[in-house]
Amino acid sequence: MSQTATGAVAAPTVQGQPRVGVAGMWTFLATDAMGFGGLFIAYGVLRVRAAAWPDPRAHLGLGLAAAMTFALLASAFTMTQAVRAGGRRARLGWLGATAGLGLAFLWGELAEYRRLWVAVDPVRVDSGLYGGTFYALTGYHGLHVAAGVVCLLAVALRGARPRTVEVLALYWHFVDLAWMPIFTFLYLMPTR
Amino acid sequence: MTTAAPERSRSGRFGSTPLTFVALAALTAAELKVAGLDGAGPSRATTLVGLLIVKVGLVLTLCLRADFRRRSAARLVLIALILAAGAAAVLMLEAAFQARVR
């Protein structure tokens, strides 16, 4: 800390803080990417080596998954706008929109789980490799979205400081990024 | 005068435009279209992976602002390429060994 001209003690310099926050978030995202990577590798190996793999279109709701994907893409846009917003009020508005879209995504995921669980030919966690890998990947990602929504609300409640929002945006875009291969490989990729 | 600088730097850091998100939505729509087509599985899978790579690239460069011009990024890419080439060589050797055993 340093003395100012008026004799008041100045706050510690914040020049290095955003870099530290961004670097810390990138470090976390790198380790988290390894978690997703491990799950994707496990999914790929199990799917390729399986004697038969169900057609995704036979079980999964493609329309709902597409709507969830568009909600997540829209949330990436609103998050970018939150970072770019000049005023606190606008920033809070964009953060609220992002949290709302995140909640919509989670609602869609829970609706999909419920539909799969009670279907005539149900897909459950114990329904072999297909069900296990599906719930592991989508559940792991869903937990990330839920954590992101909680963080968004916490940041909004604490005043939505621009630098905090910037660091949080990195996390949110990463969550958006992680959904893309899940959507392609679990929902769209044809069998054989 | 000095207050404008942080705003500029923030918008510069996340300088993506709505066009990025329109492109991502269009690519997702294209994925849905390809998935709905009747045809050979391998060609559809290749197209889907291609579209996925474009989407991931867009998010990495325009949303996460990964700077590929940095020396550390170049090193990471080099390491990834070496690992990929190594893995490919091991897989090819294993395939050749398996073919000889059979």
Side-chain angles (χ1 to χ4, degrees), chain A residues 22 26 57 62 66 69-70 73 76-77 80 83-86 162 166 169-170 173 177 180-181 183-185 188-190, chain B residues 7 10 13-16 18 21 24-25 28-29 31-32 35-36 41 44-45 48-49 52 55-56 59-60 63-64 70:
Chain A
V22 168
W26 271 111
R57 285 182 289 185
L62 197 52
T69 305
F70 284 118
L73 288 177
F77 174 70
T80 304
V83 174
R84 294 170 126 190
E166 188 177 334
L170 285 175
H173 288 310
L177 185 76
M180 289 174 181
F183 180 61
T184 301
F185 289 114
L188 303 177
M189 196 58 77
Chain B
E7 290 305 322
R10 276 205 301 278
R13 180 156 185 77
F14 288 87
S16 47
F21 301 99
L24 286 171
T28 305
E31 279 185 325
L32 289 167
R44 268 193 296 157
L48 285 171
V49 170
L52 173 65
K55 280 171 71 177
V56 168
V59 173
L60 272 175
C63 295
L64 285 165
R70 284 187 186 161

Side-chain angles (χ1 to χ4, degrees), chain A residues 21-40:
Chain A
V22 168
M25 181 52 80
W26 271 111
T27 308
F28 167 71
L29 294 182
T31 55
D32 208 23
M34 290 180 209
F36 273 106
L39 284 174
F40 277 119

